[in-house]
Amino acid sequence: MAEFLELETQDGVRMPWNVLPGTKQEAANCVVPIAAIYTPIKPFPNMPVLPYAPLRCRTCRSVLNPFAIVDFAAKIWICPFCFQRNHFPPQYDSISEEHLPAELFPQYTSIEYESPGENPSSCSSPVYMFVVDTCIIEEEMAFLRSALSQAIDLLPDNSLVGLITFGTLVHVHELGFGQLAKTYVFKGSKDVSKEQLLEQMSFFLKKPKPATGVIAGARDGLSTESISRFLLPASDCGFALNSVLEELQNDPWQVPTDQRATRCTSTALSVAACLLGACVPGSGARIMAFVGGPSTEGPGAIVSKNLSEPIRSHKDLDKDSAPYYNKAVRFYEGLAKQLVHQGHILDLFACALDQVGVAELKVAVERTGGLVVLAESFGHSVFKESLRRVFQSGDYDLGLSSNGIFEINCSKDIKVQGIIGPCASLGKKGQLSSDTVIGQGNTSAWKMCGMDKSTTLCLIFDIVKKETPELAVQPSSNQFYFQFLTYYQHANGQMRVRATTLSRRWVTGPGTIQDLIAGFDQEAAAVAMARLVSFKMEVEAEFDPIRWLDKALIHLCSQFGEYQKDSPSSFSLSPRLSIFPQFMFHLRRSQFVQVFNNSPDETAYFRMILNRENVANSIVMIQPSLISYSFHSAPEPALLDVAAISADRILLLDSYFTVVVFHGANIAQWRKAGYHSQQEHQAFAQLLRAPSDDADSIVKERFPVPRLVVCDQHGSQARFLLAKLNPSATYNTDAPLPGGDILFTDDVSFEVFLDHLQRLTVQ
Amino acid sequence: MAAPVPPGAPRQQPPTGPPPNFQQNPNALADNFQNMNLNRPPSSNTRQPPFGQPPPFSSSAPASQRPGPFPPGAVPRPASGPPTPTLPPNMAPGRPSGAPFGQPPPFGSRPPPPGAFPSSMPPSAGSPPYGAPPPGARPSPVNMMPSGAPSGFISNGPPAPTFQGGQRFAPPGSSQQQAPMGAPPAMGPPGRAPPQAGAMHPFMGSPGAGASQVPPPSGMNQVAPTFGGPPQAMSGSVVSPYAPQMSSQPGVPPMPGSMPPPRMYGMPPPMQNQMTAISPVIGQTGGTQPGASKIDPNQIPRPIPSSSVILHDTRQGNQANPPPPATSDYIVRDTGNCSPRYMRCTINQIPCTADLLTTSGMQLALLVQPLALPHPSEEPIQIVDFGEGGPVRCSRCKGYINPFMKFIDQGRRFICNLCGFTDETPRDYHCNLGPDGRRRDADERPELCRGTVEFVATKEYMVREPMPAVYFFLIDVSMNAIQTGATAAACSSINQVIADLPEGPRTMVGIATFDSTIHFYNLKRVLQQPQMLIVPDVQDVYTPLQTDVIVPVSECRQHLELLLESIPTMFENTRTSESAFGAAIKAAFLAMKSTGGKLMVFQSVLPSIGLGALAAREAEGRSNISAGDKEAHKLLQPADKTLKDMAVEFAEYQVCVDVFITTKTYVDIASISVIPKVTGGQVYYYHPFSVVLDSVKLYNDLRWNVSRPQGFEAVMRVRCSQGIQVQEYHGNFCKRIPTDVDLPGIDCDKAIMVTLKHDDKLQDGAECAFQCALLYTTVYGERRIRVTTLSLPCTSNLSNLFRMADLDTQFVCFLKQAAREIPITPPLHVREQVTNFCINILLSYRKFCATVSSSGQLILPEALKLLPLYTLALIKSAGLRIEGKIDDRSFWINYVSSVSTPSAIPLVYPRMIAVHDLDTQEVNGSIVPAPLPLSSEHVSDEGIYLLENGQDCLIYVGNSVNPDILQQSLGVPSADQGGAEFNLQQYDNPLSKKLNEVINEIRRQRCSFLRLRLCRKGEQSGMAFFSYLIEDKVPTGGLSYVEFLVHIHRQIQMKMSS
């Protein structure tokens, strides 16, 4: 396991199979897909940034890397992907075995280039378009107002800011108009095209409208003057923006008591997209949407205004009885396409007790690499802290980057089925793209409008090498090569390219099982399976995730386990695989698979986060970590089992979205008695403090900020812990556990699950 | 002044609160027209209250109070209000020796004396207190010319009361001195107002002193009374009938002290016919030798307005009293019939059969002006509150209780005068009848003794709470509007007018601007400053806010001021030339939809984009005269139905649109005007717009618009007695069901014409009633029903019809019908139609009523003797001038459609006065000197002339005017100087003072701030001036007055002989 982590710290890559099956058939037998979970711009403290453009292969355009075979004498390098011989250009004249350029250093398999010539022109400043819902109650409005004005104070001075508010109608605020507050008001029910928008917002007053061609941005004919009506440097518009926010009212249109407010989220987003598309196409602009309720108007409405009609549930979606869903998704797919085309990002801050339509918006947020935060209220710390984090600089900044393009090169026997993660296919179809598509596929290049330093993609590969008849004959090389190229606009405004080149051994033929097992990264495998099952649940009708997962697990175990046929007790798994069934057990119980406890919005939210997080965080989502604190021992990990509960312990559960500090009954009593504030019970105070300190440090570095729940045994909030625990003791259990807690569930416990697994595997 | 009791039955109960829109302050009108450049001395033309005491309610109002609202305190109906016994409701008698006003018009420089008014009016002698019982006096005035009368112009001396100046050609006989009327004092039948005779004397008796402008008396010899009437008319001496007639002429000032017995007016209607005969030919040569030159132009009929105040009782001796001319100054006492201001009929007796009407060639129609501005001295309309039950109505026709409902069966039942149904009297309304068959309480109950009352409407009359007074201003800020200063002018006008809006929490205001987009403003008070909300989609508009775009005026005054001041600068550098007029009004409408209200639009260019965009149908700078263009009149029709449909929707939601067009170019008024027309609004037209000239007018127009008496969300219906029914309504309104008209807005200036038709025979001698009910909401949010009832006798005698014809109303009917025809018929046809109308009437008269006359004479019924002149004027009017600009004509057509009778006449037949000698002209009570005939003969090169038609005021400067006079009056050293953009100022000399006084007085009379234009001979402006002189021959083919008379005569002769 450690070696996988080491590889990750070098390249940001985790692969379920670090030794690859050599043929298509063997790959199929492996059950868990050949995949790479890659964090494209993971920061590496020691990674050099080269001040020049990368050297590329003449034919396959791959970048010079440590795996290239270099002939120092002839000044020639051979591309490991296509075996093309390339001459070094004159500036490499001085290279020798002793004198290597950094990109050839073996340890720099990941390296960045930042060539000064590629500076983007004027679009370097970040652009923030705030899209604010006003159909919210006054209290929420006050929260939102203060959160926004805090955020605005944190904006970098050179960033450009725009503001759109919406409710029944869409208000585009012309912040550059000095004399009074001026807004353009668009009808909520009507989608506006970019051309109409340009026309209606008088962008062509001073110039004749170009007869043809797409008009966009300063380069293409819009005067900076007219752009600066709506997008102003943060340093200039602070006052205007703050005064608009101060006077921001709730949507004044009356809402009958039996109706939902008229909220045209989709139109507002569309207007924002068009405006940005007109003003700053191609620059990394973010649309930050603050939504406080369900969209009821316009093409992206998710529910009718009539309150008697409930918002769609998973059941409705399954039964296809959510009349608005497909239309809204289609709309947001269109919006996503537009935003990807323009290189803009949609961030979603959804804060409502009700659903707001995250499930529909997911496609737009995910394809553009936007951030998403789901909270109950704009006053909730999950929202407030998360928003602050977006703009915070320093240790915990998100490292927001934009305008990314992700490209891939691999050895010829491997093709890419697609990426599950926050990106959009650029449709660059080539030899590399597989015919079977998973996620964003059919391409070897992806657009990543927005990304941050933890954005993680899951690439799914397809081994296409056919079974060769002469099995014994080992080919000249048993290495597969992968190269990931990420072009992006760094937070400092410069364009950069990161090249990560990997090499993995492949094996084939009999006796390869052990090799494969040795290269099996069960965490990465679990994460890949989680992303895959989520994806399949979304796109495949009638998909039964439990069955699929069980079959996969059984297949995997029968493939890689050791056992005698029909003897369950003889079954054993290599340590490399031993925790995988446990991950699967928890994955089956997780919010990703068991969706019926959650709303479609929540599910979409969880999946979006899963799809953008790295392996470690994803594992926490699948199988939360549990740490136990007691007087008897130092903090130690505890089994995620109801047995871990004990009256004199504190448990810290991290399920990624929620961090629970759980005080055992005795601890809670003592705390209520106030012992921790008594001099003689210092130890107790420390015990109390330790888990909350740990929780704080988790909260601090995570985005979105998790919900922190502090609860006591038998308290109502304890459900956040109990729901995650293995139900080894339920109300059916004969002998209660010493901890005194049982779970009211009919779910099978892990032991039962394993029993079944063994039995089925050996059949 | 001490008139203790007015002639009418004194009201026992104190007057209730005034009707909401009643003009309390006699000065109000005058004050409303502020010439900002004038520095008019405060008192210069304020009308003093006619009585020693102020009128009951104005006392609390400062003299400068604006017209609309009266002091709030007066609003509630004082159930037991302070009785004002000394101020009888009918204030007329109090009118002082109207000397200042009661100047006899025609002779400008009449030597003061013999019968100088004050002295000549001894209140004694039982003279009729009211100077002019005009129509009632008619009977007598028949001048019979001896049969052998010399040919020539004949006028029966007693000119129709309409034209009190009739005497101009009236005196028959060869010498004035001998004129039969020459010695009226003596001839006056005893007891019949000797004083009048005295009054008359000056006119007839001392013609030699006639002012230069006055036709020389020599003309008299061609004027002879003619025998027109049936023989019995002869019975009266030539003179005697005349005297009383004359008495009315010079506007004998009312004699407050002498309360005449009412019967003085109620002289039995005479049976004679009055007529005027003009014979264009000498000798009996028939029509072959028209010899127009033989006609003395000074002798042909012309209006001679009286500036004296006429006192008029609507009924006398239980008979309808024919009203004074619409254009005269009169004070009405409502004695059963409504005041003619509110409703007039084209004929004051109703023909019994349709055939009779057809034979006469005349129109039968009502002109209804339900909120007309009363004379300040008139008794306010009484408000009657029936409590929860609402007003008593006929259960069948739903007619409202009125003085002509006949109570029978001890008052237990009443017979509806409209449908004839017998209704049960509601129990709590029961009252016994007196010996005269009237209810004993009839005189105490306004609804039983007044022709016009206002009922408080109950819930039954409301589909919702009465709407608040909502004023929404929509201002064009496109490049053109900004650059011409129109926007600034509009903003500043609005800013000033805000103060004039009705007080109170129910007054709401909103504002929006537009160019290629529509800009609303959030005026909510909590905002630090107004917020601008732009609606950019001009194809599919919407309102950006549900509330806060329209807010109570009291809450947004500061925001409004700030905003109005900054709008012109805000758009200073705009480059948007497009204007989305249609979309903007639609958006504004949506904002007002929930309440309704008044939408005032300031538009400067042709609406070019968005909803209801228009195309420049008229190529700029090209007049449409281009012959052969048969479709030219189509340009006077709306371009398409978009705006019409919009307007109907507006009307449905009670939005009334006024459009102020401040432009220098074509804006297609024909299309735009549909909106005001359908919504009960009005078009104001400032063309070519000039900031210097028009800002003040714009302000005054706007001010009058919001402050004049008006109502909202109104519905009007006219009911007629059995036998007559309403054929059609004409005016500015929306009609959704055949019987009612919907008026989102109705104000005192708007008139509606109601044409009538027979559906049965009427009984000779019976009375036929017309009742107009207007249900409306006042600006203070009270729901009221104004019920106006007029009951007229029926007749089967044709000559009665001619005798009782109401020229003004009759003509205005023609005018309105012609205006409707113009857009759909080629102009030549319309002219022909109009001429034929005139000819047919005259022909009928000639044929059936004046058979005795020789065929060589053109015989005109006295009452209609000016019909040819007016017809000629109509033919030459702006609307029928094919060479005129399309927009000018469209505006004219639109204006005519809602114009009231008193304003319609000057529009067609303007008033021209000489102003160069104002300071030396005799002042005879009237501020405005006597008008001159509209003929270039009366315009000399040495003079300065002022011509006004109620809209425009042209000042013509002759070529050789004395520079001193020029400098004194206009402040320019010579006629060539002084730009076209001319502003009248007051200089410190008598001439200038007088001139300003005159102009202000005209403005007051017209309720309009006339725009002044300087005209010079030889220039375009001079041409414009001369185009108003309708008596002249126009080179392009228009006949002169004399030629026209000849033409008509010949036509009649032809038709007679055929």
Side-chain angles (χ1 to χ4, degrees), chain B residues 138 141-142 156 158-160 272-276 803 845 860-863:
Chain B
R138 260 188 211 168
V142 175
N156 46 356
Q272 312 92 325
N273 265 311
Q274 304 156 253
M275 61 180 75
T276 297
R803 196 167 45 78
Y845 182 73
L860 306 175
E862 180 57 35

Side-chain angles (χ1 to χ4, degrees), chain A residues 172-189:
Chain A
V172 181
H173 295 258
E174 184 174 329
L175 298 173
F177 192 76
Q179 295 170 40
L180 39 83
K182 179 175 175 184
T183 65
Y184 283 82
V185 185
F186 293 88
K187 209 169 184 169
S189 54

